[in-house]
Amino acid sequence: EAATLNLDMFVQVFQEFEGALRELRENNKLDGESLLALIPYLETSFARVQQVSHIVERLRKFHIATEVAEVGKITELSADSHSPLAETRVFIDQATQLAERIAESHGKQVHLEADLAAFSRCDELHRRFLRDIIIQCIRNAIVHGIETPTLRQAAGKAARGLLSIRLSMDEAGKGILECRDDGQGIDVETIRETLIQSGRYNVETLKHCSQQEIIGEIFNSGISTAEEVDQDAGQGVGLSVVKQRVRDLAGVLRLRSRPQKFTAFSVHFKA
């Protein structure tokens, strides 16, 4: 969320915090000292949240004072400014900016198509869960799926990758969220190697796992096929968040992928 809102003052400390948590996950022997090491990250996070809260409150009071001076009364905000429809427009703008920022930082090009008109038919809690899923799918698609312009053109694709996000709702309140990219698809062998390197599995064990079982491991916390850790990938958190949010929705997650063609995540839920 901090990255989506371009709150750089939070992004760095949160990234470092995630790195510390990742080290704890990989540590087979934990003690009180290990947990105490997390406190500085929490203190810094809370201090910055408080700092921003104070700034926002001061701006709010200044805004009210200005309105009183100019109009003679406090102008009420339009109800439409807080409507689900307005919230959806703002979120689409933020998601587009996030996609462009991630693509640029990874030397890629991407066009985001978002059809989220049905967002307004979901309650506030469902919208929050769906936003989390969408943010993580955008990160995953651009970092892991969509190739660089050079690789795409060599494969006969347009230099700019396409990422589409669509939410549909039927009359019975059943919803489907699909996040699809036209990238390189999921490489099962890369996941297999990642699982072996993580120490969670050995070669012999994975020989008896189906492709579906191996792919399913990418939804577990701590598993990432990213070559390096940055604010968008590498901590092994993203798809585990998707998995948890689908559970929060009491929904079903489906994954389809074809090598060098596409990857599509779809979430089926009842609003």
Side-chain angles (χ1 to χ4, degrees):
E1 290 178 349
T4 303
L5 296 172
N6 291 324
L7 297 177
D8 293 336
M9 65 182 297
F10 291 106
V11 171
Q12 183 62 36
V13 67
F14 290 162
Q15 182 182 348
E16 292 173 355
F17 193 8
E18 284 186 348
L21 290 172
R22 178 168 54 85
E23 291 180 3
L24 288 185
R25 284 199 304 267
E26 296 171 353
N27 190 348
N28 294 324
K29 187 177 180 180
L30 297 177
D31 53 27
E33 292 296 325
S34 301
L35 299 179
L36 287 175
L38 299 177
I39 291 179
Y41 298 104
L42 291 172
E43 290 178 337
T44 301
S45 299
F46 289 140
R48 293 189 180 182
V49 168
Q50 188 175 38
Q51 180 184 5
V52 171
S53 296
H54 288 163
I55 293 173
V56 170
E57 180 62 18
R58 289 165 62 186
L59 289 173
R60 187 186 70 83
K61 290 180 179 179
F62 176 78
H63 178 64
I64 292 175
T66 302
E67 286 186 337
V68 170
E70 292 180 353
V71 185
K73 65 178 182 178
I74 298 177
T75 304
E76 293 292 335
L77 290 174
S78 168
D80 290 340
S81 66
H82 295 292
S83 69
L85 186 59
E87 178 187 324
T88 301
R89 289 196 295 266
V90 171
F91 176 64
I92 290 176
D93 288 342
Q94 292 173 340
T96 301
Q97 292 172 14
L98 176 68
E100 291 174 350
R101 197 270 300 159
I102 296 175
E104 182 179 2
S105 65
H106 287 80
K108 300 178 180 181
Q109 299 176 12
V110 63
H111 173 65
L112 174 65
E113 290 184 352
D115 180 1
L116 299 175
F119 222 52
S120 59
R121 296 176 56 187
C122 301
D123 62 33
E124 184 177 355
L125 186 60
H126 280 68
R127 292 199 302 273
R128 180 161 67 87
F129 294 154
L130 291 170
R131 283 198 301 269
D132 286 349
I133 292 172
I134 291 170
I135 289 172
Q136 299 302 339
C137 283
I138 288 175
R139 284 175 164 161
N140 188 76
I142 299 175
V143 175
H144 299 287
I146 293 176
E147 313 93 329
T148 61
T150 301
L151 290 176
R152 289 181 62 82
Q153 290 176 322
K157 299 180 179 180
R160 184 180 299 273
L162 176 62
L163 173 57
S164 64
I165 300 172
R166 289 183 170 80
L167 176 65
S168 61
M169 300 280 293
D170 64 18
E171 295 300 324
K174 292 182 179 179
I176 300 177
L177 171 68
E178 181 177 72
C179 301
R180 178 186 178 113
D181 68 77
D182 67 345
Q184 60 190 344
I186 294 177
D187 188 340
V188 178
E189 291 308 312
T190 297
I191 299 174
R192 189 193 304 273
E193 288 301 317
T194 299
L195 293 175
I196 293 173
Q197 292 174 11
S198 72
R200 298 191 181 190
Y201 293 91
N202 57 44
V203 176
E204 190 61 31
T205 301
L206 291 178
K207 283 183 179 179
H208 304 288
C209 293
S210 66
Q211 287 193 351
Q212 290 81 359
E213 290 173 327
I214 292 175
I215 292 175
E217 289 294 320
I218 64 176
F219 294 98
N220 291 328
S221 181
I223 297 298
S224 175
T225 58
E227 295 182 357
E228 59 183 25
V229 177
D230 59 24
Q231 69 183 69
D232 303 308
Q235 301 286 13
V237 175
L239 291 182
S240 67
V241 171
V242 172
K243 179 181 178 180
Q244 181 58 51
R245 285 300 182 238
V246 173
R247 286 178 175 173
D248 293 336
L249 287 167
V252 176
L253 175 65
R254 295 174 182 170
L255 170 61
R256 295 179 294 120
S257 182
R258 183 176 298 174
Q260 307 307 319
K261 296 294 183 181
F262 74 91
T263 298
F265 294 87
S266 61
V267 180
H268 301 248
F269 64 99
K270 183 81 161 53

